[in-house]
Amino acid sequence: MKNTDPCRISAEKFLKDGNWIDDVVITVENGVITAIEENSQEEAGFRYAYVTPGLVDNHIHGGDGVSVYGSTPEEIENWLVKLAEAGTSGIMLAPSGQPERIRKGLENIRIVMERQKKGEAGGALLLGAHLEGPFISEKRPGAMEAVIPPSVETYRRMTEGYEDIVREMTIAPEKEGAREVIAYLREKGVKIQAGHTDCAYETALEAFEAGVGSICHTFNAARPIHHREPGILTAALTDPAIYCEMIGDLAHLHPGTLRLLRHCKPAERLMLVSDAVATTHLPDGIYGRVEVKNGVNRVKELGCLSGGGCYTAKSVKNLTEIGFSFAEAVMAAAVNPVRWLELDLLPAEGKTVFLTGWNGSREPENTWIGSHLYRCC
């Protein structure tokens, strides 16, 4: 729904630079923040216990029966509205699989992004594409169906005509040809993650030096830590500069593992992602090769997990219930992904509204995206 401009938004607590600021009033005109007043007692039309930057999910494939390559642009647009109503403000859609399927996903992303820019579609803002594969390890495929040797030529063919919307790629850095692809992606300004990888510790250090800056869904589909073969996870956990994604559905990672990430990494280097897929949010049942049981997605014949079980706002709630502070959880879901992707979305005077309003139970009430206000379910 459209909000009423001008309007004022008040927050008992407003998250700024990882800290809570009391009694903040934000003035909005034509979808743009014109003032942020601290310690204000002014009346406001919209009042919340907490106001934070909008949640950005930089690793999501689909949900509610919709996928980036198996659905029409119109179906994706309707789903983006559902995401906004679930508390998500922006996403990076992640095509995966064979190159032709990835190209279909990129085509859909391009169409929807253009329609949003023209004001012809709403919902969570589609920020670009995150290619998860196909340059991954056959030893750590997870639920992935495509494993292709890395090559710059394959990447060029796969993304031709869509290069400008690819913001991020996940790759197994130990594979032959990966070094050349990493150098090419770095030159093009594409953010590079290591994932679905059997990478050794020493190779991981070389990859970080070459331009890999983040770990895809940390601990999942990666060589596990061994005391004599520490692997890429140890390299990432002990390097304060490396970002780490974490799936917060409490199925992919045990609460103790999430606490380990919190203990090892600086708060500004954790990114909360959903890794949601088409079957996320669907009723329990069997959908093709995926079985949903108690909200958890698994590939039937493999028995492995297949995508996250909830969207980002629910993951924020999950983290607060296992010992993360609300500020830490929101930083991981809203601020850190924006900084990793180098996007200009954090709230400030003169910037387009990109906010979430929360109630006292730390559940999202409204998602603000430009001149649109979405009521959260």
Side-chain angles (χ1 to χ4, degrees):
M1 60 178 286
K2 285 275 187 181
N3 67 359
T4 303
D5 283 323
C7 69
R8 292 167 71 80
I9 304 166
S10 77
E12 294 177 28
K13 293 186 178 294
F14 174 68
L15 190 68
K16 180 180 179 182
D17 298 327
N19 298 304
W20 295 111
I21 308 299
D22 292 334
D23 299 320
V24 169
V25 173
I26 302 168
T27 303
V28 176
E29 296 183 27
N30 299 317
V32 175
I33 297 172
T34 58
I36 300 177
E37 304 164 67
E38 299 181 11
N39 301 311
S40 174
Q41 301 300 318
E42 294 291 329
E43 290 295 322
F46 298 89
R47 302 183 62 83
Y48 304 100
Y50 304 91
V51 172
T52 71
L55 306 186
V56 173
D57 189 349
N58 69 325
H59 186 160
I60 183 169
H61 304 275
D64 288 293
V66 173
S67 73
V68 61
Y69 34 71
S71 302
T72 66
E74 292 74 20
E75 289 169 333
I76 292 172
E77 289 166 4
N78 291 334
W79 170 65
L80 291 173
V81 172
K82 291 183 180 180
L83 275 182
E85 293 171 346
T88 300
S89 300
I91 65 167
M92 292 276 290
L93 259 178
S96 60
Q98 295 289 345
E100 57 270 21
R101 191 166 81 167
I102 286 177
R103 283 191 62 79
K104 176 59 179 175
L106 291 173
E107 178 186 0
N108 282 340
I109 291 170
R110 164 82 76 201
I111 291 170
V112 175
M113 288 180 70
E114 289 180 351
R115 283 177 51 80
Q116 285 190 331
K117 287 177 182 176
K118 295 176 183 177
E120 298 171 355
L125 193 60
L126 185 47
L127 302 167
H130 166 188
L131 306 187
E132 188 181 5
F135 303 151
I136 61 175
S137 170
E138 68 281 356
K139 296 180 180 180
R140 308 289 175 187
M144 293 289 187
E145 299 178 74
V147 178
I148 295 175
S151 94
V152 172
E153 181 57 32
T154 300
Y155 176 84
R156 285 173 172 166
R157 290 199 308 268
M158 186 168 60
T159 61
E160 183 180 4
Y162 303 107
E163 299 91 343
D164 60 315
I165 65 172
V166 177
R167 289 187 175 272
E168 186 174 14
M169 187 173 194
T170 292
I171 185 171
E174 74 276 12
K175 300 296 292 182
E176 184 177 352
R179 181 180 291 273
E180 291 76 19
V181 173
I182 289 169
Y184 181 81
L185 294 173
R186 187 175 187 178
E187 179 185 336
K188 298 297 181 182
V190 177
K191 294 294 184 178
I192 312 162
Q193 287 200 132
H196 292 272
T197 173
D198 197 50
C199 190
Y201 180 85
E202 292 76 11
T203 306
L205 296 182
E206 294 171 0
F208 298 162
E209 183 68 26
V212 172
S214 179
I215 304 297
C216 180
H217 44 48
T218 310
F219 287 103
N220 297 116
R223 175 190 284 210
I225 294 173
H226 186 279
H227 56 287
R228 286 190 295 273
E229 295 180 2
I232 191 168
L233 295 177
T234 301
L237 292 177
T238 55
D239 187 334
I242 299 300
Y243 284 84
C244 284
E245 286 187 355
M246 53 185 180
I247 302 174
D249 61 4
L250 303 185
H252 279 76
L253 297 174
H254 186 279
T257 306
L258 288 162
R259 294 186 193 108
L260 174 65
L261 277 165
R262 176 175 178 257
H263 176 77
C264 292
K265 299 300 298 182
E268 63 271 15
R269 287 295 185 267
L270 292 176
M271 297 190 294
L272 190 59
V273 300
S274 73
D275 195 22
V277 293
T279 51
T280 301
H281 266 207
L282 292 183
D284 284 5
I286 295 175
Y287 303 88
R289 66 194 290 261
V290 177
E291 180 179 16
V292 180
K293 187 174 182 180
N294 298 323
V296 177
N297 309 297
R298 291 186 182 273
V299 179
K300 292 183 297 179
E301 66 269 23
L302 300 178
C304 67
L305 291 164
S306 176
C310 64
Y311 295 138
T312 309
K314 177 60 166 64
S315 293
V316 168
K317 182 81 168 177
N318 288 343
L319 290 192
T320 64
E321 291 175 349
I322 64 166
F324 284 66
S325 72
F326 188 40
E328 288 173 328
V330 172
M331 284 283 291
V335 178
N336 300 343
V338 167
R339 289 177 174 165
W340 158 244
L341 295 168
E342 298 184 27
L343 299 170
D344 190 18
L345 294 174
L346 298 180
E349 292 181 7
K351 300 290 181 64
T352 300
V353 182
F354 199 75
L355 298 169
T356 302
W358 308 74
N359 62 25
S361 299
R362 298 168 181 174
E363 298 166 335
E365 288 191 325
N366 290 123
T367 304
W368 297 76
I369 305 170
S371 58
H372 287 80
L373 170 66
Y374 297 90
R375 184 178 300 278
C376 296
C377 302

